[in-house]
Amino acid sequence: MIWITLEHILRVLIAGLGGAIIGYERSSRQKEAGIRTHFIVAVGSSLMMIISKYGFTDMGNWNNVSLDPSRVASQIVSGVGFLGAGTIFMNKQKVKGLTTAAGIWATAGVGMAIGAGMYTVGIGVTLLIVAVQFAMHRHRKPFAATRMPHRLTVRIINHEGAISSILDVLDQHQIRVVSLHSEVEPSVHHHDVSDTSYLLLQSSVQLDSTIQSKDIVPILQSIPDVQMVKIDE
């Protein structure tokens, strides 16, 4: 009995490792779901697959009881689908996060395969997913060369469309916004008695290899609404 239990634990661990490998690729590209998410999805799917197959064996001899070993496992596919949908969003009329959502769904399949004891299929699909992701991003720098995000602070005049102008300029120069926070400043100076209010944008940005952090300042200062630009080197 103890050897059977150890084998089940081994299946969960192998599934988690496969999920972590897929998640590492996503995390290295600053995607919404990374190592922890994919690891948990793979481990959870593997565990539920094991429960679905072996969790009700003690009821096999019960009268008037009909068991379906696939019933619990079948719910994983639809359940993980809702989880993956949370990573999909619209940005400037473009759908983002589809690949990550599909990866989470496929990771659940990997966990189910390994949980069912199909080690070769589960490990093979894990390697296939990672290989395809590498091939589709071959024009980008390898993981070790990924540049760390920079902290960008911009003060702009608060009116409709001001933030969109900033984001459009950043997008035109291949500067990816990882996170963005804004707050209203009533005035910049105490002697400013006008009705003008300002927005202070604090964001984390990922720079393309062709641009330096110091180049962002003049780019954003050329926008009429911008009052101040600061970026951590």
Side-chain angles (χ1 to χ4, degrees):
M1 183 66 180
I2 187 171
W3 292 110
I4 296 177
T5 302
L6 290 176
E7 182 184 358
H8 293 167
I9 294 175
L10 178 62
R11 293 183 186 184
V12 172
L13 292 176
I14 295 175
L17 177 60
I21 293 173
I22 297 173
Y24 177 75
E25 189 278 332
R26 293 286 83 193
S27 177
S28 68
R29 304 187 192 285
Q30 303 292 328
K31 300 301 181 180
E32 294 75 16
I35 297 176
R36 289 181 298 177
T37 301
H38 287 77
F39 176 85
I40 294 173
V41 168
V43 166
S45 299
S46 177
L47 175 61
M48 286 183 278
M49 189 66 182
I50 292 172
I51 294 173
S52 186
K53 287 190 65 176
Y54 310 110
F56 308 98
T57 54
D58 59 331
M59 301 172 59
N61 296 324
W62 288 20
N63 295 325
N64 301 320
V65 173
S66 178
L67 297 178
D68 182 0
S70 66
R71 177 164 294 183
V72 175
S74 65
Q75 304 305 311
I76 301 174
V77 179
S78 57
V80 174
F82 283 103
L83 177 63
T87 66
I88 303 174
F89 62 95
M90 290 288 295
N91 183 19
K92 297 179 182 178
Q93 305 302 316
K94 295 181 180 179
V95 179
K96 302 285 186 178
L98 278 177
T99 302
T100 301
I104 292 175
W105 187 71
T107 300
V110 169
M112 292 175 66
I114 296 177
M118 303 169 67
Y119 298 103
T120 303
V121 173
I123 295 173
V125 171
T126 297
L127 298 178
L128 177 62
I129 293 173
V130 175
V132 169
Q133 294 284 29
F134 271 125
M136 294 298 100
H137 293 85
R138 63 184 179 275
H139 61 284
R140 297 189 178 183
K141 285 191 171 184
F143 297 154
T146 301
R147 304 178 69 178
M148 295 298 293
H150 293 263
R151 184 176 180 83
L152 175 66
T153 303
V154 182
R155 181 184 287 115
I156 59 177
I157 297 177
N158 183 17
H159 65 72
E160 184 178 358
I163 297 180
S164 296
S165 299
I166 298 292
L167 296 178
D168 287 341
V169 171
L170 294 177
D171 185 63
Q172 291 171 8
H173 290 82
Q174 304 298 316
I175 301 172
R176 191 169 69 88
V177 178
V178 179
S179 63
L180 178 66
H181 171 74
S182 65
E183 60 183 31
V184 177
E185 282 192 339
S187 63
V188 179
H189 304 291
H190 293 293
H191 63 269
D192 187 355
V193 295
S194 66
D195 294 331
T196 302
S197 62
Y198 301 87
L199 277 178
L200 189 65
L201 304 182
Q202 296 179 335
S203 62
S204 178
V205 296
Q206 186 77 42
L207 305 184
D208 185 79
S209 59
T210 60
I211 190 171
Q212 300 295 322
S213 59
K214 62 181 180 180
D215 299 330
I216 299 180
V217 176
I219 290 174
L220 294 180
Q221 284 181 336
S222 64
I223 302 175
D225 297 329
V226 173
Q227 302 296 308
M228 180 274 292
V229 179
K230 178 182 178 183
I231 185 168
D232 297 338
E233 297 291 340

